[in-house]
């Protein structure tokens, strides 16, 4: 699920670059660390959920052509958790002691995108390969292949539909449809709807964007439980929908910062056997929590 959201974000950046969407592109380019060469750091705190999250990511664009791009990326994440006993079901072989504290994850991957005309419509394709590591070494490798037909692609409106396929995944649904829609009403207001994100965007200047809406965020890490009843390696994954307000500010030609705040509403919070997300062991009852985050990035 994490890779799906990253892929949709990358496709959205490709679409914006394709349509040369003036003010929004000036602030948003490089914000995902996928298409442009950049370095981004994020710190987030969740109050009631009692967790801290830090991420440092960077990317380098090896090839930057009109039709084809190729980039490599890395992301280092630290999860600092303080789970409570009553969030776990009675008799569970996983206790907060297994999950609390720091968890470190390193993701490294290669992304390639290609843009062309197909059947008279702009077509954007994306291929991603990502590997996961932590303090125990290599954990998992996976990939995504996606294709998107842009049924409408103008400066003010972008609407596309396509398919996304998971490679080396245990998902019950490895192929599914997707769509991206963005419309700008005027120089100040626009709406975005793509995958797990919906926002109304207010752009008071070329260097400022205020997003009001919600997205879906998915994070996971691996751990080694002490219980002999469990697999040697287990995986914890949480997905939430987050109503929020976000302010992006471009401070210079290359430097930008983002401040956001809102509420995390749990969709799933689970412990899985092994490194996949196929065999569910138990639910973790993480409460609805307010959160705040700040990030900064530098795009070369």
């Amino acid at each position: 699920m994490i890779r799906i959201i990253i892929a949709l974000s990358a496709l959205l950046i490709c679409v914006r670059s394709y349509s040369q969407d003036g003010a929004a592109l000036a602030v948003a380019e490089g914000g995902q660390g996928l298409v442009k060469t950049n370095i981004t750091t994020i710190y987030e705190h969740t109050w009631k959920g009692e967790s801290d999250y830090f991420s440092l990511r960077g990317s380098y664009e090896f090839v930057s052509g009109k039709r084809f791009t190729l980039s490599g990326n890395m992301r280092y994440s630290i999860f600092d958790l303080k789970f409570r006993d009553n969030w776990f079901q009675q008799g569970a072989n996983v206790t907060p002691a297994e999950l609390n504290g720091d968890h470190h994850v390193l993701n490294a991957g290669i992304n390639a995108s290609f843009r062309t005309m197909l059947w008279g419509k702009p077509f954007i394709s994306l291929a991603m390969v990502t590997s996961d590591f932590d303090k125990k070494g290599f954990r998992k490798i996976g990939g995504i292949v996606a294709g998107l037909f842009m049924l409408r692609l103008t400066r003010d409106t972008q609407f596309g539909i396509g398919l996304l396929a998971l490679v080396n995944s245990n998902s019950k649904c490895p192929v599914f449809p997707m769509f991206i829609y963005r419309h700008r009403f005027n120089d100040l207001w626009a709406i975005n709807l793509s995958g797990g994100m919906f926002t109304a965007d207010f752009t008071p200047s070329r260097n400022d964007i205020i997003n009001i809406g919600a997205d879906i965020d998915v994070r996971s890490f691996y751990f080694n439980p002490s219980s002999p009843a469990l697999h040697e390696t287990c995986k914890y994954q949480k997905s939430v929908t987050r109503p929020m307000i976000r302010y992006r500010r471009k401070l210079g030609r290359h430097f930008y910062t983002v401040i956001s705040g809102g509420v995390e509403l749990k969709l799933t919070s689970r412990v899985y056997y092994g490194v996949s997300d196929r065999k569910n062991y138990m639910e973790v009852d993480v409460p609805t929590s307010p959160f705040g985050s700040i990030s900064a990035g530098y795009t070369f």
Side-chain angles (χ1 to χ4, degrees):
M1 186 66 179
I2 298 173
R3 293 179 175 89
I4 294 172
I5 293 175
I6 292 174
L8 289 170
S9 299
L11 280 169
L12 185 59
I13 292 174
C14 290
V15 169
R16 288 184 178 180
S17 299
Y18 212 153
S19 62
Q20 292 299 303
D21 186 4
L25 181 59
V27 183
E29 64 180 0
Q32 296 295 333
L34 294 165
V35 178
K36 298 292 182 181
T37 301
N38 72 91
I39 298 173
T40 304
T41 182
I42 300 171
Y43 170 73
E44 180 179 299
H45 178 71
T46 304
W47 278 272
K48 196 172 178 181
E50 296 187 87
S51 67
D52 291 280
Y53 173 75
F54 172 81
S55 174
L56 176 65
R57 64 191 181 201
S59 69
Y60 182 78
E61 195 170 58
F62 301 102
V63 180
S64 177
K66 184 177 180 180
R67 294 183 177 273
F68 178 76
T69 65
L70 179 67
S71 63
N73 66 85
M74 296 184 69
R75 179 175 61 185
Y76 176 66
S77 303
I78 302 175
F79 302 82
D80 182 14
L81 307 180
K82 302 177 182 66
F83 286 0
R84 299 183 182 183
D85 290 302
N86 59 1
W87 295 356
F88 294 79
Q89 64 191 43
Q90 288 188 344
N93 288 311
V94 174
T95 66
E98 302 283 352
L99 294 175
N100 284 345
D102 292 342
H103 300 272
H104 300 252
V105 179
L106 175 67
N107 311 108
I110 295 290
N111 310 316
S113 66
F114 181 72
R115 298 178 290 194
T116 187
M117 298 295 292
L118 190 61
W119 297 315
K121 296 291 184 182
F123 179 75
I124 301 172
S125 58
L126 177 73
M128 301 177 60
V129 178
T130 305
S131 53
D132 298 342
F133 302 84
D134 63 10
K135 290 185 287 188
K136 296 290 185 177
F138 172 76
R139 291 300 195 178
K140 186 180 180 181
I141 189 169
I144 282 179
V145 178
L148 188 71
F149 279 101
M150 297 307 300
L151 301 181
R152 185 170 179 80
L153 185 59
T154 66
R155 183 175 182 273
D156 292 331
T157 304
Q158 300 96 48
F159 174 60
I161 59 174
L163 292 175
L164 187 148
L166 303 175
V167 181
N168 190 30
S169 170
N170 292 318
S171 172
K172 296 179 181 179
C173 182
V175 180
F176 56 89
M178 63 176 179
F179 71 95
I180 288 176
Y181 176 71
R182 185 175 190 276
H183 178 71
R184 183 170 59 182
F185 299 99
N186 51 49
D187 290 341
L188 293 178
W189 290 98
I191 58 171
N192 274 299
L193 182 59
S194 60
M197 178 183 70
F198 171 77
T199 62
D201 301 340
F202 177 61
T203 311
S205 76
R206 181 175 177 81
N207 293 323
D208 301 273
I209 292 182
I210 299 173
N211 310 119
I212 303 171
D215 69 3
I216 293 176
D217 186 59
V218 182
R219 293 173 186 168
S220 64
F221 59 83
Y222 308 97
F223 66 99
N224 299 92
S226 58
S227 172
L230 295 178
H231 194 279
E232 180 182 358
T233 300
C234 287
K235 178 181 180 181
Y236 172 75
Q237 180 169 294
K238 179 178 74 169
S239 62
V240 294
T241 182
R242 307 189 301 174
M244 71 172 76
I245 182 168
R246 176 188 297 146
Y247 172 63
R248 300 173 182 243
R249 170 70 178 176
K250 190 169 185 180
L251 299 176
R253 182 179 178 184
H254 301 287
F255 184 68
Y256 62 92
T257 186
V258 181
I259 300 173
S260 61
V263 178
E264 286 191 354
L265 306 173
K266 186 191 77 172
L267 298 176
T268 62
S269 177
R270 295 170 181 162
V271 173
Y272 296 91
Y273 285 106
V275 299
S276 73
D277 52 3
R278 182 70 178 270
K279 190 174 181 182
N280 180 19
Y281 169 62
M282 66 172 293
E283 299 284 335
V284 181
D285 191 21
V286 178
T288 298
S289 308
F291 78 92
S293 71
I294 183 169
S295 67
Y298 188 87
T299 301
F300 298 89

